[in-house]
Amino acid sequence: MNKPCFKDLVARELFLNPGDTGVGFRGEVFGTLLGSCVAITLWHPRRRLGTICHFVFPFAPGLSDRDGRYGISAFARMQSDLIRNGVHLHECTAKIFGGGRMFASSSSQDIGARNIAMARQLVADAGLTVAAENVGKDGYRRLYFDVESGDVWVKFDWLDGEQEDEIL
């Protein structure tokens, strides 16, 4: 695997805010910043098409099938994007990121852990296996999803020089 050129990734970045989902094609790069939120990427290797979500909570307190802030509805939007582009979900590679613990004293309210559990359940319920993940731990991470290759670069060095960047 080639070492990423982060300047190139940043130059092509389509930034996702919390609650956003996106679908892209070769040459496009999605980027986002994750704390306790979780991103799921689904990538089709032959079509070089990918979709990503950035959800904040595992599920809505009421009925909400369109709000991307919640894992269940965000994943449903991703599946709709795939169908709209003629891609079968079971042909995709799934990866999960985020779910960091943001406050050391809040273990019973650990929203990051609940988001990770929801992401894993959504992927498993869809009949997919998780090809790679970088989840949990303390603090933030920044990621870039390159739709051309399906690679996801997880960066920590912009906050903490002690943590290694990863390419998954």
Side-chain angles (χ1 to χ4, degrees), residues 133-146:
E133 66 178 25
N134 182 289
V135 296
K137 305 175 190 169
D138 292 331
Y140 297 90
R141 73 197 78 202
R142 183 161 176 88
L143 70 86
Y144 298 92
F145 172 35
D146 185 347

Side-chain angles (χ1 to χ4, degrees), residues 11-153:
R12 294 185 292 143
E13 177 185 22
L14 302 168
F15 189 79
L16 293 179
N17 288 302
D20 286 346
T21 59
V23 61
F25 304 91
R26 61 181 73 204
E28 294 181 315
V29 175
F30 289 103
T32 196
L33 175 65
L34 299 169
S36 61
C37 298
V38 165
I40 301 172
T41 64
L42 299 173
W43 183 70
H44 192 278
R46 187 171 40 81
R47 298 272 311 272
R48 300 201 183 277
L49 179 144
T51 181
I52 181 172
C53 70
H54 176 157
F55 69 85
V56 181
F57 301 107
F59 50 85
L63 294 176
S64 175
D65 63 348
R66 313 283 268 136
D67 194 330
R69 292 178 299 166
Y70 305 104
I72 293 171
S73 51
F75 197 72
R77 287 169 63 172
M78 295 172 72
Q79 292 178 67
S80 294
D81 287 339
L82 293 174
I83 291 168
R84 195 172 23 262
N85 285 284
V87 172
H88 297 286
L89 175 63
H90 68 275
E91 296 174 342
C92 293
T93 301
K95 298 180 181 179
I96 300 172
F97 304 91
R101 191 174 57 176
M102 305 311 296
F103 306 103
S105 63
S106 63
S107 61
S108 66
Q109 300 289 324
D110 190 348
I111 190 66
R114 292 176 24 213
N115 283 336
I116 293 166
M118 175 57 71
R120 288 174 174 158
Q121 179 184 341
L122 291 166
V123 169
D125 288 351
L128 300 171
T129 58
V130 177
E133 66 178 25
N134 182 289
V135 296
K137 305 175 190 169
D138 292 331
Y140 297 90
R141 73 197 78 202
R142 183 161 176 88
L143 70 86
Y144 298 92
F145 172 35
D146 185 347
V147 179
E148 175 72 27
S149 65
D151 290 338
V152 178
W153 289 276

